[in-house]
Amino acid sequence: MTEDPYAVARQAMLETHLRGRDVVSPRVLDAMARVPRDQFVPAALRDAAYEDRALPIDCGQTISQPYVVAAIAQALHLTGGEHVLDIGTGTGYQAAVLAELAATVVTIERHAMLANEAADRLARLGYANVTCVIGDGTQGHSAQAPYDVIVAAAATPEIPPLLFDQLREEGRMVLPLGPSEDQVLYAIRKHHGKAQRMPLFPCRFVPLVSGEQ
Ligand code: SAH
């Protein structure tokens, strides 16, 4: 096996930014240790891959901060058998972390260029359990619904109703809600068809763009 030049930086990220804060789930920490974030960021930013911050990617978007990806994964309590819908593929990094923790992941991206690059990258890294879809994530992906878990990496004022319809009863959702300057990450459970919301922490994501905007 060839040596991984980023192994030390990845381990340091785990200690300082994840375990050093409140990411304690062994499954989530293992997943974060397995996914090479350096392969997801633009080549020029590779040396910053294990700093705990969002980084710019193509199409004016960002790859999420490692802590946020790990905190989302931990809030989902994945046990390995789940069918997951991930909205906002971006680079595919969060989809890869989810793919380490669940059975199948469907990920949707509205920018075809990002979606195609992510699909190639995920295939190259061996994530055969991820399906990349180009489309508007606010519509979900009914062909493979219902989902046990839905995650969005882009913020919206309210839960898109079509997405909520595609979540199974007792399913879980994590997404940022609110305007761009004032977002909160929520964990949501579908109970008797209604959304039970629990705020996790303030956050800042790119907007979830719906329709033809
Ligand atoms: N999870 C990504 C972070 C991507 S940032 C990663 O790990 O790299 C959020 C992404 O959501 C952007 O790529 C943006 O283009 C996408 N997005 C925004 N609105 C969307 C929509 N309605 N449907 C699908 N993708 C959307």
Side-chain angles (χ1 to χ4, degrees), residues 57 59 61-64 69 86-95 108-111 114 135-138 153-154 205-211:
I57 60 171
C59 303
Q61 305 301 318
T62 53
I63 176 172
S64 307
V69 172
D86 172 54
I87 312 294
T89 312
T91 63
Y93 178 63
Q94 179 156 302
I108 310 181
E109 171 57 54
R110 60 189 287 274
H111 286 293
L114 291 176
D136 177 2
T138 62
F205 283 85
V206 297
L208 184 70
V209 179
S210 67

Side-chain angles (χ1 to χ4, degrees), residues 8-147:
V8 171
R10 191 156 54 245
Q11 209 51 45
M13 171 191 85
L14 245 71
E15 290 306 327
T16 311
H17 304 304
L18 306 186
R19 216 179 267 126
R21 293 179 71 183
D22 53 4
V23 179
V24 294
S25 157
R27 289 196 80 230
V28 170
L29 289 166
D30 282 353
M32 296 297 292
R34 277 197 298 272
V35 181
R37 192 169 186 260
D38 55 278
Q39 296 294 305
F40 290 80
V41 304
L45 297 176
R46 211 153 267 167
D47 286 347
Y50 295 102
E51 292 174 14
D52 191 32
R53 57 186 175 107
L55 293 170
I57 60 171
D58 284 336
C59 303
Q61 305 301 318
T62 53
I63 176 172
S64 307
Q65 179 188 345
Y67 171 76
V68 172
V69 172
I72 289 174
Q74 181 165 268
L76 292 169
H77 301 290
L78 297 165
T79 58
E82 295 85 357
H83 179 47
V84 178
L85 179 63
D86 172 54
I87 312 294
T89 312
T91 63
Y93 178 63
Q94 179 156 302
V97 172
L98 295 169
E100 293 277 356
L101 293 163
T104 43
V105 178
V106 176
T107 181
I108 310 181
E109 171 57 54
R110 60 189 287 274
H111 286 293
M113 185 180 132
L114 291 176
N116 290 329
E117 285 177 3
D120 287 350
R121 180 181 292 123
L122 290 163
R124 177 165 48 80
L125 293 171
Y127 289 101
N129 57 341
V130 181
T131 306
C132 293
V133 175
I134 301 169
D136 177 2
T138 62
Q139 310 290 304
H141 185 64
S142 58
Q144 294 188 56
Y147 301 93

